[in-house]
Amino acid sequence: MRIGIDRMAFATTNDYLDLVELAKERGVDPNKFTIGIGQDLQAVVPPTQDIVTLGATAAKKLLTPELEKNISTVIVATESGIDNSKASAIYIKHLLGLSDFTRTVEMKEACYSATAAIQFAKGVVALNPQETVLVIAADIARYGLNTPGEVTQGAGAVAMLISRNPHILTLEDTTVASSKDIMDFWRPLYATEALVDGKYSTNVYIEFFLQTFTRYQQLTGRELADFAALTFHMPFTKMGKKGLEGLLKDRNDEVAQRLRTQLTASQLFSRQVGNLYTGSLYLSLMSLLQNSDLRAGSRIGLFSYGSGAEGEFYTGILEDGYEHYMNNIQEELKHRHQVSVAEYEKLFSSQLGMNDRDIEFDVTNDPLPFVLKGQKDHQRIYEAK
């Protein structure tokens, strides 16, 4: 039985920041951001949006009444949880109007957990082939104003349906996962912004990629020539390049050139949105599929990484007509609204965060279909517009 990704959709906020403008404001050479880090634009989050609203918006783009009937489980992968007990999947299930006979859970392991969610979803479908699992990777990456990590912020959600006979990508059986207790990135319960050792984290990322890919080759006997493309978790696009070059080194034959070309295609959307944490790998996959000419039957490698640390390398085979089962991301990104650095700083500081007071937000100017209206009696109030 073929099981894999049947449909995909992406959602981000309506506001964005030009990182050249941020560089000028911070007194930094813009090339440090656009070339050194590999980012051009960054999604800016208004207080009326969070992982619930973004996740629901992404899922809404791919659901139909017929597809909803088969959804047995909703899994939300995030490291931007809004509650230490209640799963964000329950809120999203409610906003989407899914059946009460639906399993809802939230998963966490830094940026890796969406991959674990997909593997778990694959197991659900293998046991119950008539069922479909809705996996949502939703996050808001925050490092603080005027900090070294500020340029690697971002926000968005990728929603995926995992089912039998998928229309986008059939997942192959062999996967390699690896985990070690490493303090390269973490966010204590008392913190709204993450703590990170950036250079160390990059080195660990490359190490995990090389180890899991090498182990995959040992198990399967496959070579680089067997891959049409490799996709990477990209908290910033230069990270994916570092991973690929760590593997290719000085190799410059036809295979290496092809993989570099496809990497560029996979980076395009992340350059315009920023860091999605759990969704970054899957936005890079969507970018690859919408900005390249890959054919059905192509094998794509996926490297997932989450600090702390866990990595996994796995593969999928591209299905015929895959391009018809995703939303047109580039077209949607054209219609966003650019904010100034001052406006970005105001919005950044207006998030609900760990505020325990009653608060009501003005949702009038938020064009997304789901909004966070505020908080009352310690409960977040959501609305479907």
Side-chain angles (χ1 to χ4, degrees), residues 25-91:
E25 182 68 25
R26 299 293 186 248
V28 175
D29 180 353
N31 288 335
K32 181 177 181 181
F33 291 174
T34 60
I35 299 175
I37 301 296
Q39 298 299 127
D40 296 321
L41 309 176
Q42 183 178 105
V44 174
V45 186
T48 50
Q49 292 294 318
D50 65 6
I51 61 165
V52 169
T53 57
L54 291 171
T57 297
K60 182 180 175 65
K61 294 179 180 182
L62 55 72
L63 291 179
T64 66
E66 190 62 30
L67 290 171
E68 291 175 6
K69 294 177 183 178
N70 296 324
I71 295 177
S72 68
T73 304
V74 178
I75 307 175
V76 173
T78 187
E79 55 179 284
S80 311
I82 60 167
D83 191 281
N84 287 328
S85 179
K86 186 174 180 179
S88 53
I90 294 180
Y91 294 98

Side-chain angles (χ1 to χ4, degrees), residues 79 110 143 183-187 194-197 201 277 307-308:
E79 55 179 284
Y143 293 99
M183 298 302 289
D184 60 330
F185 172 106
W186 68 104
R187 181 166 68 85
L195 304 173
V196 59
D197 185 337
S201 187
Y277 286 159
S307 295

Side-chain angles (χ1 to χ4, degrees), residues 295-307:
R295 298 179 180 179
S298 297
R299 174 175 289 110
I300 298 174
L302 300 97
F303 174 63
S304 180
Y305 176 78
S307 295

Side-chain angles (χ1 to χ4, degrees), residues 9 30 40 48 63 100 107 110 140 176 190 201 230 238 284 306 318 332 338 341 345 352 354 370 372 374 377 381-382:
D40 296 321
T48 50
L63 291 179
D100 285 349
M107 297 184 62
I140 296 173
V176 177
Y190 53 78
S201 187
L230 297 177
K238 196 66 173 287
S284 70
L318 204 55
E332 293 182 4
Q338 182 177 348
V341 174
E345 291 177 340
L352 185 57
M354 294 187 176
F370 303 103
L372 172 63
D377 297 329
I381 310 299
Y382 295 100

Side-chain angles (χ1 to χ4, degrees), residues 35-304:
I35 299 175
I37 301 296
Q39 298 299 127
D40 296 321
L41 309 176
Q42 183 178 105
V44 174
V45 186
T48 50
Q49 292 294 318
D50 65 6
I51 61 165
V52 169
T53 57
L54 291 171
T57 297
K60 182 180 175 65
K61 294 179 180 182
L62 55 72
L63 291 179
T64 66
E66 190 62 30
L67 290 171
E68 291 175 6
K69 294 177 183 178
N70 296 324
I71 295 177
S72 68
T73 304
V74 178
I75 307 175
V76 173
T78 187
E79 55 179 284
S80 311
I82 60 167
D83 191 281
N84 287 328
S85 179
K86 186 174 180 179
S88 53
I90 294 180
Y91 294 98
I92 292 176
K93 170 256 173 185
H94 173 74
L95 287 173
L96 295 174
L98 299 178
S99 167
D100 285 349
F101 295 103
T102 303
R103 182 185 298 111
T104 53
V105 293
E106 181 175 310
M107 297 184 62
K108 177 179 68 177
E109 174 30 54
C111 302
Y112 163 77
S113 60
T115 298
I118 288 173
Q119 299 297 353
F120 294 169
K122 183 180 177 183
V124 170
V125 176
L127 290 172
N128 305 281
Q130 76 282 2
E131 296 183 5
T132 297
V133 179
L134 172 59
V135 172
I136 299 172
D139 266 303
I140 296 173
R142 287 173 60 96
Y143 293 99
L145 300 176
N146 206 8
T147 65
E150 185 176 28
V151 68
T152 62
Q153 298 178 140
V158 176
M160 297 169 277
L161 292 182
I162 309 300
S163 72
R164 64 176 176 175
N165 301 324
H167 287 98
I168 296 179
L169 195 71
T170 293
L171 301 180
E172 296 188 288
D173 290 337
T174 303
T175 73
V176 177
S178 177
S179 62
K180 297 178 183 178
D181 185 1
I182 293 174
M183 298 302 289
D184 60 330
F185 172 106
W186 68 104
R187 181 166 68 85
L189 290 176
Y190 53 78
T192 57
E193 282 82 48
L195 304 173
V196 59
D197 185 337
K199 185 175 181 179
Y200 179 44
S201 187
T202 297
N203 291 337
V204 174
Y205 172 102
I206 296 170
E207 175 188 332
F208 269 60
F209 168 58
L210 296 178
Q211 288 179 345
T212 55
F213 183 77
T214 299
R215 177 62 173 162
Y216 174 88
Q217 288 185 300
Q218 293 170 347
L219 294 174
T220 63
R222 294 186 180 124
E223 302 294 335
L224 274 177
D226 295 316
F227 294 89
L230 297 177
T231 55
F232 293 82
H233 163 58
M234 283 192 279
F236 53 94
T237 63
K238 196 66 173 287
M239 184 78 98
K241 178 177 175 61
K242 288 177 181 290
L244 181 61
E245 294 303 328
L247 178 66
L248 297 180
K249 296 183 171 60
D250 295 328
R251 183 169 172 175
N252 200 33
D253 56 11
E254 185 276 332
V255 171
Q257 292 176 11
R258 182 184 73 241
L259 294 177
R260 290 187 176 105
T261 297
Q262 302 295 19
L263 176 71
T264 299
S266 74
Q267 293 172 321
L268 294 178
F269 294 157
S270 293
R271 290 189 72 97
Q272 300 176 62
V273 177
N275 193 352
L276 302 188
Y277 286 159
T278 54
S280 292
L281 169 60
Y282 300 99
L283 180 60
S284 70
L285 174 61
M286 295 183 75
S287 184
L288 171 70
L289 298 183
Q290 294 187 18
N291 293 291
S292 66
D293 56 356
L294 292 176
R295 298 179 180 179
S298 297
R299 174 175 289 110
I300 298 174
L302 300 97
F303 174 63
S304 180

